[in-house]
Amino acid sequence: MARTSAPGERDGMDRSWLRGSPPPLWVRLLPPVLLVAICVAELATREALDIGFLLGAIPSLAVLSYGPVATAAFGLIVVVLLNVPAIQLNHPGNTDLLTITFIALLSVLVALVRSRREQHLVTVRSVAEAAQLAVLPPLPGRVGAVRCVGLYRPAQRETLVGGDFFDVRDGPFGVRAVMGDVQGHGLSAVGTVASLLGAFRETVLDQRDLVDAAARLDRRLVADSAAAGNTEMFATALLLEFLPGADGVRLVSCGHPRPFLLRGPKVLELDSDPGPPVGTGFFALAPPECRTVVLEPGDRLFVASDGVNESRDESGAFYPLSERLTEFADEPSQTLPDRVWEDLTAFCPRIRDDVTMLVLAPVPSGAG
């Protein structure tokens, strides 16, 4: 089935609890454990211990993981314990009752502000995730006669969509797929991604020729850049169209990295005559050529963005995608993108560009 970044998935990998993730269990246990430990220590000794000041930390610790009501409860318990003679905490010179009361009230105020801000952020994030998933919905496991597996890792944290995009659609002219990379990445590129994906989905329905479909993307981006006053808006794109019976595929490249054909243990880089990136205004002068590749049963296509093959290690060496695909040739399609991603992050720990991978496995006529 398809594999894409799920909402919150990237956050879980990249963020600690100090950066916004829910606090771990030990942080939630700190206030009650500290409270019990202080009481037990005082009751277990005959002489009063000068540790009452530690009670002032309990409301402050509760702010990290509890709401205003629970924080107020901890503060109230602390103030009550200070006035219990048996615990021997409220002795002159040991604890300043007014100071701890002020800390408890201030902690409740901080917890109230934090909880309201979290509720607002949850609402904003839910709306953002819905909008982003509308632009780039999850890839189905199979479209027509083509099995699909995709992986998407935006370079910018907290987002599901960046400057890369892909889609696979079935239409009256066959199954078509697209992968592209717009200028820039992050939220600033989402509008361009949405525009190009919308144009591609229209071509699936009414554009018979694949080169004409690429020309439609070029016209869409040229019009958008003119309206926005941005003359440097462009995108690379690779369009694929599977022939009836899934025994061949047509390729049209607009400045995009070359795809790979996985045929058993062999990995072949498919050479093509690419045209200029869409949106540059040179499409009519130097249009791309359409190449047809005959497919055999069991063949798979691996398409990736330049965030994969242009990633560098600490020495400046590029990621050897072709060599790695040869090593991973026996990997099933469902796990191949994840396997390449794990190897890529080990090769280049700091990846600054969007990373997109797509595995397309056509099922010939008569196959299951």
Side-chain angles (χ1 to χ4, degrees):
M1 60 181 299
R3 181 75 173 94
T4 54
S5 294
E9 178 182 357
R10 186 174 176 86
D11 300 342
M13 295 184 298
D14 295 342
R15 291 195 308 172
S16 66
W17 66 277
L18 293 176
R19 293 185 176 182
S21 294
L25 180 61
W26 65 269
V27 175
R28 296 182 61 85
L29 293 177
L30 274 179
V33 169
L34 182 60
L35 183 63
V36 173
I38 293 174
C39 294
V40 170
E42 288 287 354
L43 294 175
T45 57
R46 295 182 179 180
E47 299 181 359
L49 298 177
D50 194 12
I51 60 174
F53 68 94
L54 293 176
L55 289 175
I58 293 177
S60 302
L61 291 174
V63 172
L64 295 176
S65 52
Y66 293 93
V69 176
T71 302
F74 279 111
L76 180 60
I77 293 174
V78 167
V79 173
V80 170
L81 290 177
L82 290 175
N83 293 277
V84 176
I87 303 182
Q88 305 178 6
L89 289 174
N90 194 18
H91 289 279
N94 290 347
T95 303
D96 191 336
L97 179 59
L98 293 179
T99 300
I100 293 183
T101 302
F102 175 77
I103 293 175
L105 294 175
L106 184 61
S107 299
V108 173
L109 177 62
V110 173
L112 179 62
V113 174
R114 182 184 62 83
S115 62
R116 291 187 175 181
R117 180 172 297 178
E118 285 183 350
Q119 293 175 0
H120 175 70
L121 291 177
V122 168
T123 302
V124 172
R125 181 175 177 82
S126 299
V127 174
E129 288 181 353
Q132 291 170 347
L133 288 175
V135 173
L136 193 66
L139 187 67
R142 178 166 176 167
V143 179
V146 180
R147 294 193 178 98
C148 314
V149 183
L151 182 143
Y152 194 5
R153 294 290 184 268
Q156 183 174 339
R157 293 179 179 179
E158 311 294 339
T159 62
L160 302 178
V161 179
D164 289 359
F165 62 93
F166 62 81
D167 198 5
V168 183
R169 298 275 169 161
D170 193 6
F173 312 112
V175 176
R176 287 183 180 175
V178 64
M179 177 176 288
D181 182 2
V182 307
Q183 176 197 22
H185 55 263
L187 294 177
S188 60
V190 174
T192 307
V193 168
S195 181
L196 289 175
L197 281 175
F200 166 75
R201 290 161 185 169
E202 291 177 357
T203 65
V204 172
L205 299 176
D206 57 24
Q207 205 75 50
R208 180 179 297 275
D209 185 76
L210 198 59
V211 176
D212 291 340
R216 174 82 68 85
L217 300 184
D218 178 74
R219 292 195 302 270
R220 177 71 273 167
L221 196 52
V222 168
D224 289 348
S225 61
N230 185 0
T231 59
E232 298 181 354
M233 186 184 299
F234 65 91
T236 64
L238 177 67
L239 284 78
L240 305 93
E241 181 182 77
F242 290 89
L243 303 180
D247 56 356
V249 61
R250 298 187 182 97
L251 306 172
V252 171
S253 176
C254 300
H256 198 79
R258 297 173 179 174
F260 292 87
L261 175 64
L262 281 62
R263 177 169 291 170
K266 298 180 180 180
V267 176
L268 307 174
E269 188 174 10
L270 298 180
D271 191 10
S272 60
D273 187 11
V278 297
T280 58
F282 300 108
F283 196 92
L285 299 177
E289 294 185 0
C290 182
R291 178 185 178 182
T292 302
V293 178
V294 178
L295 300 178
E296 298 178 1
D299 284 354
R300 298 178 292 172
L301 292 173
F302 183 92
V303 188
S305 63
D306 58 6
V308 179
N309 54 12
E310 293 186 1
S311 294
R312 300 171 182 258
D313 62 5
E314 296 179 353
S315 65
F318 288 105
Y319 179 71
L321 178 58
S322 179
E323 298 177 7
R324 292 298 200 268
L325 287 177
T326 303
E327 297 177 7
F328 305 149
D330 295 334
E331 194 79 22
S333 299
Q334 290 80 0
T335 58
L336 180 58
D338 287 322
R339 185 70 180 88
V340 176
W341 169 254
E342 293 173 1
D343 186 71
L344 178 64
T345 53
F347 179 87
C348 179
R350 300 183 63 183
I351 300 176
R352 294 184 173 89
D353 198 2
D354 301 322
V355 171
T356 309
M357 288 174 266
L358 189 62
V359 178
L360 302 172
V363 181
S365 300

